[in-house]
Amino acid sequence: MSADPFVREAREDVTRLSDGLVTLETEGAERETVDELFRRAHSLKSSFGMEGYDGASDLAHAVEDLLDAVRAGEVDPEGEVIDRGLDAVDALDDVLTDVERTGDPA
């Protein structure tokens, strides 16, 4: 586990987002689940932004927008929608790995 509080907290949010997106796809869009995932994406957006990782903040914002669209009933949480969300979350995890290893995202 990382000694860096930012990395440690962000990685927890990333893990929960990843798990939650899979849950959305398999169990459907329960409002409480979508709201929780939205808050985690929002938190990541803010955390990355405060640390100066603007690209990662923008990516977290895209995940937040996706979850807002799910919450509004504009998109169904299935197939390609979830795959794209998971790809984004994986990219955020990669940024955290780079920050942890080098102190700077690649």
XYZ file of all heavy atoms in Angstrom:
802
model
N 0.847 -1.178 0.000
C 0.000 0.000 0.000
C 0.892 1.240 0.000
O 1.916 1.279 0.655
C -0.920 -0.007 1.218
C -1.834 1.200 1.262
S -3.070 1.131 2.571
C -4.176 -0.069 1.880
N 0.455 2.241 -0.730
C 1.232 3.466 -0.880
C 1.293 4.252 0.421
O 0.334 4.306 1.187
C 0.618 4.338 -1.969
O 1.328 5.550 -2.071
N 2.435 4.894 0.632
C 2.579 5.781 1.775
C 1.984 7.151 1.476
O 1.700 7.925 2.389
C 4.055 5.931 2.139
N 1.769 7.454 0.208
C 1.225 8.742 -0.216
C -0.286 8.738 0.017
O -1.016 7.947 -0.589
C 1.542 8.970 -1.690
C 1.070 10.300 -2.216
O 0.062 10.844 -1.714
O 1.690 10.804 -3.162
N -0.788 9.622 0.895
C -2.229 9.631 1.180
C -3.084 9.867 -0.063
O -4.151 9.268 -0.199
C -2.403 10.770 2.185
C -1.054 11.041 2.736
C -0.063 10.601 1.705
N -2.633 10.740 -0.977
C -3.384 10.987 -2.209
C -3.534 9.693 -3.001
O -4.646 9.333 -3.406
C -2.691 12.058 -3.064
C -3.130 12.027 -4.503
C -4.405 12.435 -4.868
C -2.284 11.554 -5.496
C -4.828 12.384 -6.197
C -2.692 11.497 -6.816
C -3.964 11.914 -7.170
N -2.427 8.984 -3.217
C -2.465 7.744 -4.007
C -3.332 6.711 -3.309
O -4.164 6.056 -3.935
C -1.043 7.200 -4.280
C -1.097 5.816 -4.914
C -0.259 8.172 -5.157
N -3.155 6.571 -2.015
C -3.911 5.569 -1.256
C -5.414 5.823 -1.359
O -6.196 4.909 -1.657
C -3.441 5.578 0.196
C -3.981 4.445 1.030
C -3.401 4.401 2.443
N -3.501 5.666 3.158
C -2.459 6.442 3.474
N -1.239 6.100 3.155
N -2.650 7.579 4.140
N -5.855 7.053 -1.148
C -7.283 7.371 -1.191
C -7.837 7.286 -2.610
O -8.944 6.777 -2.820
C -7.518 8.755 -0.608
C -7.289 8.805 0.891
C -7.356 10.213 1.459
O -7.960 11.088 0.818
O -6.794 10.417 2.549
N -7.059 7.770 -3.569
C -7.522 7.725 -4.959
C -7.617 6.285 -5.447
O -8.556 5.925 -6.162
C -6.594 8.537 -5.856
N -6.665 5.453 -5.048
C -6.712 4.051 -5.475
C -7.940 3.360 -4.907
O -8.563 2.544 -5.575
C -5.440 3.320 -5.082
C -5.411 1.963 -5.732
C -4.103 1.291 -5.923
N -2.925 2.015 -6.237
C -2.443 2.216 -7.469
N -3.127 1.801 -8.513
N -1.304 2.829 -7.655
N -8.325 3.689 -3.685
C -9.550 3.115 -3.108
C -10.762 3.524 -3.945
O -11.624 2.699 -4.249
C -9.732 3.570 -1.669
C -10.988 3.006 -1.037
C -11.196 3.457 0.395
O -10.205 3.687 1.110
O -12.372 3.575 0.790
N -10.821 4.807 -4.328
C -11.928 5.266 -5.162
C -11.932 4.573 -6.519
O -12.995 4.180 -7.022
C -11.873 6.785 -5.359
C -12.330 7.561 -4.136
O -13.114 7.013 -3.334
O -11.908 8.723 -3.990
N -10.757 4.398 -7.103
C -10.642 3.728 -8.402
C -11.125 2.280 -8.294
O -11.887 1.803 -9.151
C -9.187 3.809 -8.930
C -8.934 2.807 -10.040
C -8.884 5.225 -9.407
N -10.711 1.602 -7.250
C -11.124 0.206 -7.060
C -12.636 0.107 -6.888
O -13.292 -0.732 -7.514
C -10.413 -0.402 -5.833
O -9.000 -0.387 -6.076
C -10.874 -1.826 -5.568
N -13.197 0.989 -6.097
C -14.647 0.957 -5.876
C -15.414 1.332 -7.138
O -16.482 0.786 -7.403
C -15.027 1.850 -4.718
C -14.411 1.351 -3.421
C -15.326 1.562 -2.292
N -14.626 1.218 -1.066
C -15.097 0.363 -0.191
N -16.232 -0.226 -0.422
N -14.445 0.110 0.901
N -14.868 2.263 -7.922
C -15.502 2.612 -9.193
C -15.507 1.413 -10.136
O -16.521 1.113 -10.768
C -14.764 3.769 -9.860
C -15.302 5.156 -9.641
C -14.387 6.184 -10.288
C -16.702 5.306 -10.162
N -14.377 0.747 -10.238
C -14.273 -0.415 -11.118
C -15.267 -1.500 -10.699
O -16.037 -2.008 -11.519
C -12.846 -0.960 -11.094
O -12.716 -2.070 -11.937
N -15.253 -1.830 -9.423
C -16.179 -2.848 -8.911
C -17.627 -2.418 -9.117
O -18.486 -3.221 -9.494
C -15.934 -3.111 -7.420
C -14.592 -3.757 -7.132
O -13.929 -4.253 -8.082
O -14.181 -3.747 -5.953
N -17.904 -1.144 -8.872
C -19.264 -0.645 -9.003
C -19.771 -0.645 -10.430
O -20.948 -0.920 -10.680
N -18.889 -0.338 -11.386
C -19.301 -0.381 -12.789
C -19.684 -1.800 -13.199
O -20.674 -1.998 -13.917
C -18.190 0.165 -13.689
C -18.016 1.679 -13.645
C -16.728 2.082 -14.348
C -19.206 2.386 -14.263
N -18.937 -2.767 -12.731
C -19.270 -4.169 -13.019
C -20.620 -4.510 -12.380
O -21.463 -5.163 -13.000
C -18.154 -5.122 -12.541
C -18.584 -6.573 -12.634
C -16.874 -4.877 -13.342
N -20.839 -4.049 -11.160
C -22.115 -4.281 -10.483
C -23.269 -3.658 -11.265
O -24.330 -4.275 -11.416
C -22.080 -3.722 -9.047
O -21.063 -4.407 -8.316
C -23.417 -3.876 -8.349
N -23.059 -2.432 -11.770
C -24.118 -1.794 -12.570
C -24.492 -2.646 -13.765
O -25.673 -2.777 -14.103
C -23.668 -0.416 -13.062
C -23.656 0.725 -12.082
C -23.212 2.001 -12.792
C -25.015 0.929 -11.447
N -23.484 -3.196 -14.415
C -23.751 -3.988 -15.619
C -24.470 -5.293 -15.283
O -25.365 -5.715 -16.012
C -22.454 -4.271 -16.375
C -22.686 -4.975 -17.692
C -21.419 -5.107 -18.505
O -20.334 -5.263 -17.931
O -21.536 -5.064 -19.739
N -24.083 -5.913 -14.181
C -24.648 -7.229 -13.862
C -25.956 -7.150 -13.088
O -26.805 -8.018 -13.230
C -23.639 -8.082 -13.061
O -23.288 -7.397 -11.857
C -22.403 -8.377 -13.891
N -26.116 -6.095 -12.276
C -27.287 -6.030 -11.406
C -28.240 -4.892 -11.724
O -29.302 -4.786 -11.109
C -26.832 -5.929 -9.948
C -26.064 -7.158 -9.488
C -25.580 -7.042 -8.061
O -26.077 -6.175 -7.309
O -24.690 -7.831 -7.691
N -27.854 -4.025 -12.636
C -28.718 -2.904 -12.989
C -28.375 -1.645 -12.220
O -27.584 -1.657 -11.287
N -28.996 -0.576 -12.640
C -28.671 0.755 -12.132
C -29.522 1.136 -10.930
O -30.447 1.940 -11.046
C -28.813 1.783 -13.249
N -29.194 0.590 -9.792
C -29.857 1.013 -8.562
C -29.413 2.434 -8.251
O -28.225 2.759 -8.326
C -29.492 0.087 -7.396
C -29.985 -1.320 -7.544
C -31.499 -1.414 -7.474
O -32.111 -0.630 -6.718
O -32.064 -2.262 -8.179
N -30.350 3.296 -7.937
C -30.048 4.719 -7.722
C -28.943 4.922 -6.687
O -28.037 5.737 -6.868
C -31.334 5.446 -7.313
C -31.169 6.914 -7.007
C -30.750 7.686 -8.245
N -30.504 9.076 -7.942
C -30.923 10.072 -8.678
N -31.602 9.849 -9.768
N -30.650 11.297 -8.337
N -29.003 4.202 -5.599
C -28.013 4.352 -4.529
C -26.607 4.006 -5.029
O -25.642 4.706 -4.722
C -28.388 3.453 -3.345
C -27.484 3.617 -2.154
C -27.960 2.775 -0.981
O -29.146 2.891 -0.605
O -27.131 2.020 -0.458
N -26.500 2.953 -5.825
C -25.208 2.551 -6.372
C -24.676 3.604 -7.328
O -23.503 3.990 -7.259
C -25.325 1.192 -7.096
O -25.779 0.204 -6.166
C -23.990 0.761 -7.684
N -25.520 4.084 -8.220
C -25.095 5.098 -9.194
C -24.678 6.373 -8.470
O -23.654 6.983 -8.807
C -26.206 5.386 -10.224
C -25.798 6.497 -11.169
C -26.544 4.124 -11.008
N -25.435 6.773 -7.463
C -25.083 7.978 -6.702
C -23.727 7.828 -6.022
O -22.914 8.757 -6.022
C -26.151 8.300 -5.663
C -27.425 8.857 -6.260
O -27.419 9.257 -7.449
O -28.448 8.894 -5.533
N -23.474 6.680 -5.440
C -22.191 6.428 -4.777
C -21.042 6.481 -5.782
O -19.997 7.079 -5.518
C -22.218 5.081 -4.058
C -20.874 4.615 -3.538
C -20.285 5.500 -2.446
O -21.028 6.258 -1.797
O -19.059 5.433 -2.240
N -21.228 5.859 -6.923
C -20.178 5.873 -7.946
C -19.952 7.282 -8.481
O -18.808 7.684 -8.725
C -20.530 4.908 -9.077
C -20.587 3.439 -8.676
C -21.049 2.595 -9.845
C -19.244 2.967 -8.150
N -21.021 8.028 -8.658
C -20.909 9.418 -9.099
C -20.075 10.216 -8.100
O -19.182 10.975 -8.491
C -22.303 10.028 -9.255
C -22.274 11.465 -9.681
C -22.228 11.806 -11.029
C -22.286 12.484 -8.735
C -22.194 13.139 -11.425
C -22.256 13.806 -9.120
C -22.204 14.143 -10.474
N -20.338 10.053 -6.812
C -19.578 10.776 -5.783
C -18.102 10.390 -5.817
O -17.230 11.242 -5.663
C -20.169 10.511 -4.396
C -21.450 11.279 -4.125
C -21.880 11.191 -2.674
N -22.175 9.837 -2.245
C -23.358 9.246 -2.379
N -24.357 9.877 -2.953
N -23.543 8.018 -1.945
N -17.823 9.126 -6.052
C -16.415 8.699 -6.118
C -15.722 9.312 -7.330
O -14.572 9.753 -7.233
C -16.322 7.187 -6.133
C -16.684 6.594 -4.785
C -16.150 5.210 -4.594
N -16.565 4.696 -3.309
C -15.837 4.784 -2.203
N -14.675 5.382 -2.224
N -16.271 4.271 -1.074
N -16.394 9.326 -8.468
C -15.813 9.939 -9.662
C -15.598 11.432 -9.427
O -14.559 11.992 -9.815
C -16.704 9.701 -10.880
N -16.559 12.078 -8.788
C -16.433 13.504 -8.479
C -15.239 13.745 -7.550
O -14.462 14.694 -7.741
C -17.729 14.010 -7.845
C -17.692 15.456 -7.501
N -17.886 16.436 -8.448
C -17.472 16.086 -6.330
C -17.780 17.620 -7.866
N -17.538 17.429 -6.581
N -15.097 12.901 -6.564
C -13.979 13.018 -5.626
C -12.641 12.849 -6.347
O -11.691 13.599 -6.106
C -14.121 11.965 -4.519
O -13.028 12.006 -3.648
N -12.576 11.866 -7.238
C -11.345 11.661 -8.013
C -11.046 12.874 -8.885
O -9.891 13.312 -8.976
C -11.461 10.410 -8.880
C -11.234 9.089 -8.177
C -11.632 7.937 -9.086
C -9.776 8.959 -7.756
N -12.066 13.397 -9.533
C -11.885 14.583 -10.377
C -11.264 15.704 -9.561
O -10.282 16.326 -9.983
C -13.225 15.018 -10.961
C -13.157 16.306 -11.774
C -14.528 16.765 -12.211
C -15.284 17.347 -11.041
N -16.563 17.940 -11.404
N -11.817 15.947 -8.396
C -11.318 17.021 -7.542
C -9.916 16.726 -7.021
O -9.053 17.616 -7.021
C -12.270 17.234 -6.364
O -13.538 17.619 -6.823
N -9.682 15.519 -6.588
C -8.371 15.152 -6.035
C -7.271 15.262 -7.079
O -6.200 15.830 -6.809
C -8.404 13.725 -5.476
O -9.284 13.637 -4.393
N -7.511 14.713 -8.262
C -6.513 14.819 -9.316
C -6.282 16.290 -9.672
O -5.149 16.714 -9.886
C -6.938 14.041 -10.567
C -6.639 12.575 -10.511
C -7.667 11.644 -10.560
C -5.350 12.104 -10.446
C -7.412 10.277 -10.529
C -5.061 10.745 -10.413
C -6.095 9.827 -10.452
N -7.347 17.064 -9.728
C -7.212 18.478 -10.046
C -6.398 19.229 -9.006
O -5.530 20.036 -9.357
N -6.662 18.976 -7.741
C -5.920 19.649 -6.669
C -4.440 19.281 -6.686
O -3.595 20.080 -6.303
C -6.529 19.331 -5.305
C -7.849 20.035 -5.070
S -8.487 19.911 -3.387
C -8.506 18.159 -3.089
N -4.130 18.077 -7.138
C -2.741 17.639 -7.213
C -2.060 18.113 -8.499
O -0.867 17.903 -8.683
C -2.661 16.110 -7.119
C -3.064 15.555 -5.774
C -2.078 15.896 -4.663
O -0.852 15.914 -4.905
O -2.546 16.144 -3.529
N -2.838 18.735 -9.387
C -2.259 19.259 -10.624
C -2.226 18.274 -11.775
O -1.588 18.538 -12.793
N -2.921 17.168 -11.653
C -2.972 16.153 -12.709
C -4.217 16.403 -13.557
O -5.228 15.712 -13.438
C -2.963 14.747 -12.116
C -1.775 14.490 -11.210
C -1.956 13.965 -9.941
C -0.485 14.779 -11.620
C -0.883 13.725 -9.095
C 0.603 14.544 -10.785
C 0.396 14.021 -9.524
O 1.469 13.795 -8.705
N -4.125 17.419 -14.399
C -5.297 17.892 -15.136
C -5.867 16.860 -16.097
O -7.084 16.746 -16.239
C -4.963 19.177 -15.884
C -4.655 20.324 -14.932
O -5.126 20.297 -13.778
O -3.928 21.246 -15.351
N -5.008 16.108 -16.776
C -5.499 15.087 -17.702
C -6.308 14.021 -16.979
O -7.384 13.613 -17.445
N -5.807 13.581 -15.841
C -6.522 12.579 -15.055
C -7.815 13.176 -14.487
O -8.841 12.484 -14.426
C -5.644 12.048 -13.929
N -7.778 14.441 -14.105
C -8.982 15.106 -13.615
C -10.039 15.159 -14.718
O -11.227 14.896 -14.461
C -8.644 16.519 -13.140
O -9.798 17.181 -12.681
N -9.613 15.470 -15.936
C -10.547 15.505 -17.064
C -11.143 14.123 -17.331
O -12.336 13.996 -17.631
C -9.851 16.010 -18.328
C -9.477 17.479 -18.255
O -9.988 18.203 -17.371
O -8.650 17.916 -19.092
N -10.319 13.094 -17.222
C -10.802 11.728 -17.444
C -11.808 11.336 -16.357
O -12.855 10.748 -16.653
C -9.628 10.757 -17.489
C -9.949 9.318 -17.844
C -10.695 9.212 -19.174
C -8.655 8.500 -17.882
N -11.503 11.669 -15.112
C -12.444 11.388 -14.019
C -13.748 12.162 -14.240
O -14.831 11.657 -13.936
C -11.827 11.744 -12.672
N -13.636 13.367 -14.794
C -14.831 14.154 -15.100
C -15.675 13.450 -16.160
O -16.914 13.442 -16.081
C -14.432 15.555 -15.563
C -15.572 16.499 -15.673
N -15.457 17.733 -16.231
C -16.876 16.400 -15.296
C -16.620 18.350 -16.204
N -17.500 17.550 -15.642
N -15.027 12.833 -17.137
C -15.762 12.086 -18.165
C -16.514 10.900 -17.540
O -17.656 10.613 -17.916
C -14.815 11.611 -19.259
N -15.886 10.228 -16.580
C -16.556 9.123 -15.881
C -17.742 9.672 -15.086
O -18.830 9.083 -15.081
C -15.575 8.358 -14.969
C -16.312 7.301 -14.141
C -14.458 7.712 -15.791
N -17.537 10.808 -14.443
C -18.613 11.457 -13.703
C -19.789 11.786 -14.639
O -20.947 11.527 -14.296
C -18.070 12.733 -13.065
C -19.062 13.491 -12.214
C -18.475 14.792 -11.704
O -17.733 15.482 -12.449
O -18.779 15.126 -10.551
N -19.485 12.317 -15.819
C -20.537 12.626 -16.802
C -21.269 11.366 -17.246
O -22.493 11.376 -17.404
C -19.950 13.335 -18.019
C -19.554 14.778 -17.741
O -19.966 15.341 -16.701
O -18.808 15.340 -18.578
N -20.530 10.289 -17.461
C -21.137 9.017 -17.842
C -22.117 8.556 -16.766
O -23.252 8.174 -17.063
C -20.061 7.954 -18.072
C -20.567 6.533 -18.245
C -21.200 6.366 -19.615
C -19.438 5.539 -18.041
N -21.681 8.621 -15.521
C -22.542 8.187 -14.419
C -23.738 9.116 -14.247
O -24.832 8.655 -13.899
C -21.724 8.088 -13.130
C -20.715 6.951 -13.141
C -19.691 7.129 -12.036
C -21.416 5.606 -13.035
N -23.562 10.389 -14.523
C -24.688 11.312 -14.471
C -25.715 10.957 -15.545
O -26.920 11.018 -15.302
C -24.194 12.751 -14.643
C -25.241 13.776 -14.257
O -25.997 13.544 -13.276
O -25.301 14.823 -14.921
N -25.239 10.563 -16.728
C -26.146 10.148 -17.806
C -26.891 8.861 -17.435
O -28.075 8.710 -17.742
C -25.379 9.981 -19.111
N -26.201 7.947 -16.764
C -26.862 6.722 -16.286
C -27.922 7.104 -15.257
O -29.067 6.634 -15.313
C -25.839 5.728 -15.688
C -26.549 4.596 -14.949
C -24.926 5.173 -16.774
N -27.558 7.972 -14.346
C -28.482 8.411 -13.287
C -29.722 9.082 -13.873
O -30.832 8.887 -13.376
C -27.735 9.358 -12.346
C -28.522 9.807 -11.170
C -27.699 10.448 -10.106
N -26.929 11.594 -10.569
C -26.164 12.326 -9.776
N -26.046 12.015 -8.506
N -25.504 13.345 -10.240
N -29.529 9.831 -14.961
C -30.645 10.538 -15.601
C -31.454 9.634 -16.525
O -32.467 10.057 -17.077
C -30.109 11.728 -16.397
N -31.016 8.382 -16.702
C -31.725 7.457 -17.571
C -31.453 7.693 -19.047
O -32.159 7.167 -19.907
N -30.417 8.468 -19.361
C -30.074 8.777 -20.751
C -29.302 7.647 -21.434
O -29.342 7.535 -22.657
C -29.260 10.064 -20.815
C -30.041 11.274 -20.333
C -29.182 12.498 -20.116
O -27.951 12.449 -20.372
O -29.730 13.519 -19.685
N -28.581 6.862 -20.665
C -27.858 5.702 -21.201
C -28.064 4.515 -20.265
O -28.245 4.685 -19.059
C -26.343 5.967 -21.394
C -26.074 7.044 -22.413
C -25.662 6.289 -20.090
N -28.055 3.338 -20.852
C -28.174 2.118 -20.061
C -26.779 1.633 -19.679
O -25.873 1.628 -20.520
C -28.888 1.020 -20.862
C -30.350 1.340 -21.099
O -30.968 1.950 -20.210
O -30.861 0.986 -22.179
N -26.602 1.198 -18.436
C -25.291 0.734 -17.985
C -25.027 -0.703 -18.431
O -25.117 -1.644 -17.653
C -25.388 0.847 -16.465
C -26.836 0.603 -16.187
C -27.578 1.214 -17.348
N -24.699 -0.830 -19.700
C -24.456 -2.168 -20.232
C -23.423 -2.091 -21.354
O -23.142 -1.023 -21.893
C -25.747 -2.794 -20.745
C -26.468 -1.963 -21.762
C -27.857 -2.500 -22.078
O -28.494 -3.129 -21.227
O -28.293 -2.256 -23.204
N -22.875 -3.238 -21.682
C -21.998 -3.399 -22.821
C -20.922 -2.355 -22.971
O -20.098 -2.149 -22.079
N -20.939 -1.683 -24.113
C -19.885 -0.738 -24.465
C -19.810 0.439 -23.495
O -18.720 0.961 -23.228
C -20.085 -0.224 -25.891
C -18.910 0.567 -26.392
C -19.023 0.928 -27.850
O -19.652 0.186 -28.623
O -18.476 1.972 -28.203
N -20.913 0.856 -22.952
C -20.914 1.964 -21.994
C -20.060 1.601 -20.780
O -19.199 2.371 -20.349
C -22.358 2.328 -21.572
C -22.375 3.278 -20.390
C -23.121 2.913 -22.752
N -20.297 0.436 -20.239
C -19.524 -0.014 -19.078
C -18.073 -0.274 -19.478
O -17.148 0.080 -18.735
C -20.157 -1.264 -18.438
C -21.538 -0.924 -17.870
C -19.248 -1.856 -17.362
C -21.535 0.128 -16.769
N -17.852 -0.859 -20.650
C -16.479 -1.108 -21.108
C -15.683 0.188 -21.187
O -14.527 0.249 -20.762
C -16.470 -1.801 -22.470
C -16.947 -3.237 -22.398
O -17.021 -3.805 -21.283
O -17.265 -3.800 -23.471
N -16.288 1.237 -21.719
C -15.599 2.531 -21.811
C -15.341 3.112 -20.419
O -14.291 3.698 -20.167
C -16.381 3.496 -22.673
C -16.294 3.115 -24.131
C -16.998 4.094 -25.009
N -16.954 3.598 -26.365
C -16.381 4.250 -27.365
N -15.806 5.396 -27.148
N -16.398 3.725 -28.574
N -16.302 2.963 -19.548
C -16.096 3.422 -18.171
C -14.966 2.681 -17.495
O -14.119 3.288 -16.828
N -14.923 1.369 -17.691
C -13.843 0.571 -17.101
C -12.494 0.919 -17.712
O -11.481 0.956 -17.001
C -14.142 -0.923 -17.260
C -15.271 -1.454 -16.380
C -15.653 -2.867 -16.803
C -14.885 -1.401 -14.910
N -12.460 1.178 -19.015
C -11.205 1.605 -19.655
C -10.692 2.901 -19.026
O -9.497 3.054 -18.767
C -11.389 1.793 -21.160
C -11.556 0.488 -21.923
O -11.254 -0.591 -21.368
O -12.014 0.555 -23.091
N -11.604 3.833 -18.791
C -11.223 5.110 -18.177
C -10.709 4.901 -16.756
O -9.698 5.486 -16.358
C -12.404 6.071 -18.182
N -11.381 4.055 -16.007
C -10.967 3.785 -14.631
C -9.604 3.083 -14.626
O -8.742 3.393 -13.793
C -12.047 2.979 -13.881
C -11.553 2.501 -12.530
C -13.306 3.825 -13.718
N -9.379 2.167 -15.567
C -8.068 1.521 -15.681
C -6.980 2.549 -15.980
O -5.867 2.475 -15.446
C -8.075 0.451 -16.776
C -8.827 -0.799 -16.384
O -9.141 -0.981 -15.177
O -9.130 -1.604 -17.294
N -7.292 3.524 -16.830
C -6.320 4.576 -17.156
C -6.021 5.428 -15.914
O -4.866 5.819 -15.689
C -6.837 5.436 -18.301
N -7.030 5.696 -15.109
C -6.803 6.431 -13.866
C -5.912 5.632 -12.916
O -5.025 6.191 -12.261
C -8.132 6.766 -13.188
C -9.010 7.777 -13.917
C -10.377 7.880 -13.237
C -8.335 9.139 -13.996
N -6.114 4.337 -12.870
C -5.266 3.478 -12.053
C -3.822 3.513 -12.560
O -2.881 3.557 -11.760
C -5.814 2.045 -12.049
C -5.112 1.176 -11.037
O -5.083 1.549 -9.847
O -4.578 0.114 -11.437
N -3.649 3.534 -13.870
C -2.301 3.625 -14.446
C -1.629 4.940 -14.049
O -0.420 4.970 -13.769
C -2.349 3.507 -15.968
C -2.719 2.116 -16.450
O -2.655 1.150 -15.651
O -3.093 1.993 -17.638
N -2.389 6.026 -14.034
C -1.833 7.317 -13.604
C -1.352 7.211 -12.165
O -0.254 7.669 -11.824
C -2.878 8.448 -13.755
C -2.412 9.718 -13.055
C -3.171 8.728 -15.218
N -2.164 6.597 -11.312
C -1.768 6.447 -9.914
C -0.504 5.608 -9.777
O 0.358 5.919 -8.954
C -2.908 5.829 -9.103
C -4.125 6.722 -8.924
C -5.262 5.941 -8.289
C -3.774 7.957 -8.100
N -0.380 4.572 -10.585
C 0.827 3.750 -10.560
C 2.040 4.585 -10.947
O 3.092 4.506 -10.302
C 0.676 2.535 -11.493
O -0.409 1.730 -11.003
C 1.948 1.705 -11.544
N 1.892 5.408 -11.984
C 2.994 6.281 -12.404
C 3.342 7.284 -11.314
O 4.524 7.539 -11.047
C 2.645 7.015 -13.697
C 2.602 6.095 -14.912
O 3.194 5.003 -14.849
O 1.973 6.482 -15.912
N 2.340 7.869 -10.691
C 2.588 8.833 -9.614
C 3.312 8.150 -8.460
O 4.266 8.697 -7.890
C 1.263 9.477 -9.133
C 1.461 10.274 -7.841
C 0.675 10.356 -10.232
N 2.886 6.954 -8.139
C 3.490 6.211 -7.037
C 4.943 5.864 -7.326
O 5.812 5.972 -6.458
C 2.671 4.948 -6.784
C 2.969 4.255 -5.497
C 1.952 3.166 -5.214
O 1.481 2.501 -6.147
O 1.628 2.999 -4.035
N 5.227 5.479 -8.552
C 6.588 5.062 -8.924
C 7.535 6.224 -9.130
O 8.706 6.151 -8.752
C 6.546 4.236 -10.205
C 5.991 2.858 -10.012
C 6.103 2.058 -11.281
N 5.470 0.764 -11.108
C 4.927 0.067 -12.076
N 4.946 0.519 -13.311
N 4.380 -1.096 -11.820
N 7.036 7.280 -9.791
C 7.944 8.341 -10.216
C 7.613 9.702 -9.631
O 8.379 10.647 -9.801
C 7.922 8.476 -11.756
O 6.631 8.960 -12.171
C 8.232 7.157 -12.431
N 6.451 9.834 -9.017
C 6.015 11.113 -8.519
C 5.366 11.987 -9.571
O 5.012 13.129 -9.320
N 5.191 11.434 -10.778
C 4.626 12.208 -11.877
C 3.904 11.254 -12.823
O 4.420 10.170 -13.112
C 5.751 12.910 -12.643
C 5.261 13.990 -13.556
O 4.196 14.581 -13.294
O 5.948 14.266 -14.556
N 2.717 11.648 -13.298
C 2.035 10.774 -14.257
C 2.765 10.761 -15.591
O 3.348 11.763 -15.992
C 0.650 11.391 -14.390
C 0.836 12.822 -14.032
C 1.962 12.859 -13.037
N 2.753 9.632 -16.253
C 3.440 9.515 -17.556
C 2.714 10.284 -18.620
O 1.576 10.585 -18.548
C 3.554 8.050 -17.947
